[in-house]
Amino acid sequence: MKALVINCTLKKSPETSNTEALASIVVEQLEKEAVAVDVVRAVDLDIGPGVTSEPVHEGDAWPGVHDRLLESEILVIASPTWLGGPSSVAQRVLERMDAMMSETDDEGRPVAYNRVAGVVVTGNEDGAHHVINEITGALEDIGYTIPGQAWTYWNQGPGPGPSFLDAERGHDWSRSTGRAMAANLLGVARALAQRPLGPPPQ
């Protein structure tokens, strides 16, 4: 099994990412189960705007990310919460993934079929459930299967405050739900590998 984690932080490397820190719990659990995990920090790449898998300008990095999506049975989108919603980077990634809705494999199945996805969310204000709903809703439209409780999040609560790496409150819960998320993703991915979905009836 292969997994791709797309970290949609606004912070470029090597700046510390709270979202990456929480996503690492999911990564570690998947790796314990011998899943090969690839992590991409999208903001480090030149990803142009658009709804196509083809390059939209010279040097557009999206086609390479698209290839990595198709090589992975498991996808994790990790996003901070900004203004109560997903980051602009997460929105850019999902917009480019929109093109996958019209792409099919050799058997006529949407290319996202028989792949699973989950979400990691951080933020020092609430809105995590809204972000989870926004991202999982888009991924379902594209064709991904979303297992039950395939998410984890951490937030400080209403109002400004410390970030994930600056506070310990709630870490145990976020870590345990992250490990459960990894197990649920892997369990459903294995089930789909054994009994894959066929193409939609015509």
Side-chain angles (χ1 to χ4, degrees), residues 7-184:
N7 179 6
C8 297
T9 178
L10 302 184
K11 300 172 181 175
K12 289 193 172 185
S13 298
E15 193 171 353
T16 299
S17 165
N18 291 282
T19 305
E20 182 177 285
L22 182 53
S24 69
I25 305 300
V26 182
V27 171
E28 289 168 9
Q29 187 64 33
L30 288 171
E31 289 179 336
K32 284 181 182 178
E33 296 292 335
V35 176
V37 184
D38 186 13
V39 180
V40 172
R41 191 182 289 205
V43 74
D44 289 341
L45 304 177
D46 180 5
I47 298 175
V51 288
T52 176
S53 296
E54 303 302 317
V56 296
H57 59 245
E58 186 175 352
D60 183 9
W62 182 255
V65 178
H66 177 264
D67 289 344
R68 289 152 97 169
L69 286 165
L70 297 185
E71 293 168 359
S72 304
E73 293 86 5
I74 299 169
L75 170 64
V76 174
I77 300 288
S79 176
T81 307
W82 290 113
L83 299 174
S87 72
S88 57
V89 176
Q91 190 62 38
R92 173 71 54 91
V93 166
L94 293 170
E95 286 169 351
R96 292 302 297 267
M97 289 180 69
D98 180 88
M100 294 171 66
M101 293 178 69
S102 59
E103 297 170 9
T104 56
D105 65 15
D106 293 339
E107 296 184 35
R109 295 174 298 201
V111 293
Y113 270 33
N114 300 309
R115 305 178 195 277
V116 300
V119 183
V120 171
V121 180
T122 57
N124 62 16
E125 296 188 40
D126 58 10
H129 279 96
H130 174 72
V131 174
I132 291 166
N133 292 339
E134 288 278 309
I135 296 175
T136 57
L139 294 171
E140 285 178 324
D141 279 351
I142 293 164
Y144 281 87
T145 296
I146 312 297
Q149 298 184 345
W151 47 259
T152 187
Y153 69 87
W154 180 92
N155 63 42
Q156 176 63 24
S163 297
F164 178 70
L165 290 171
D166 301 323
E168 273 298 318
R169 186 197 62 79
H171 278 212
D172 288 345
W173 182 87
S174 295
R175 291 186 182 110
S176 66
T177 54
R179 290 189 291 269
M181 167 187 174
N184 294 347

